[in-house]
């Protein structure tokens, strides 16, 4: 299981939420007061961890949402090409390749360690 459930009122900025099958980091949460016959609602603005697109949703504060389990892990850079980097996980020694993002070009060198996110079967380098 790659996620848990939480009520909207328990969410905080900087934490994570699953929107449109994509793990997202919450940028802001605004709650409205309950109406005469309704309940309070929360507007959540979030950005996708892997696709970088912004998403906005409105839910009742008692609504249950999915929260992805995000793993922050360490890996060693084994080799580099112009378009991808080969990494080895420092816990289980699994090797895998990831595409090099534009902002990381020139910052990665073989033999160094990097931090990467692992969520919902997707991976991304966060810190060189």
């Amino acid at each position: 299981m790659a996620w848990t459930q939480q009520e909207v009122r328990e969410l905080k900025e900087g934490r994570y939420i699953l929107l449109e099958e994509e793990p997202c980091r919450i940028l802001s949460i605004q709650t409205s007061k309950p109406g005469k016959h309704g309940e309070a609602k929360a507007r959540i603005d979030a950005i996708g961890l892997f696709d970088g697109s912004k998403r906005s949703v409105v839910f009742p504060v008692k609504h249950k949402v999915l929260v992805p389990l995000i793993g922050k892990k360490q890996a060693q850079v084994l080799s580099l090409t112009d378009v991808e980097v080969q990494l080895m996980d420092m816990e289980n020694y699994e090797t895998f390749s990831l595409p090099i993002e534009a902002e990381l070009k020139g910052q990665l060198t073989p033999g160094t360690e990097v931090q990467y996110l692992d969520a919902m079967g997707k991976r991304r380098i966060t810190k060189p």
Side-chain angles (χ1 to χ4, degrees), residues 1-127:
M1 183 165 68
W3 47 267
T4 62
Q5 282 190 340
Q6 255 185 329
E7 284 190 5
V8 172
R9 64 180 166 195
E10 298 170 345
L11 298 175
K12 292 184 174 34
E13 291 180 16
R15 300 255 175 99
Y16 303 100
I17 186 172
L18 194 65
L19 297 175
E20 301 169 8
E21 301 293 318
E22 179 71 22
C24 299
R25 190 176 86 248
I26 298 172
L27 299 174
S28 67
I29 300 175
Q30 293 117 9
T31 55
S32 64
K33 294 183 179 177
K36 186 173 181 181
H37 299 289
E39 59 180 303
K41 296 201 175 15
R43 176 188 168 92
I44 301 171
D45 294 319
I47 188 164
L49 290 179
F50 300 105
D51 63 3
S53 65
K54 290 189 176 183
R55 294 170 170 85
S56 293
V57 291
V58 176
F59 290 123
V61 292
K62 292 183 181 177
H63 184 75
K64 289 196 182 285
V65 293
L66 300 180
V67 177
L69 300 176
I70 309 288
K72 291 181 182 173
K73 300 181 178 183
Q74 293 290 115
Q76 182 179 15
V77 177
L78 297 178
S79 65
L80 289 166
T81 66
D82 290 340
V83 292
E84 72 177 16
V85 58
Q86 186 177 20
L87 301 168
M88 178 181 68
D89 188 284
M90 299 303 289
E91 285 182 21
N92 58 14
Y93 306 110
E94 171 193 2
T95 59
F96 55 93
S97 295
L98 293 176
I100 297 177
E101 296 177 21
E103 66 266 10
L104 294 176
K105 285 196 186 285
Q107 296 184 27
L108 302 174
T109 54
T112 59
E113 286 189 19
V114 294
Q115 184 181 43
Y116 72 96
L117 293 179
D118 185 12
M120 310 276 303
K122 298 178 184 178
R123 296 176 173 149
R124 179 177 160 239
I125 297 173
T126 55
K127 290 184 184 174

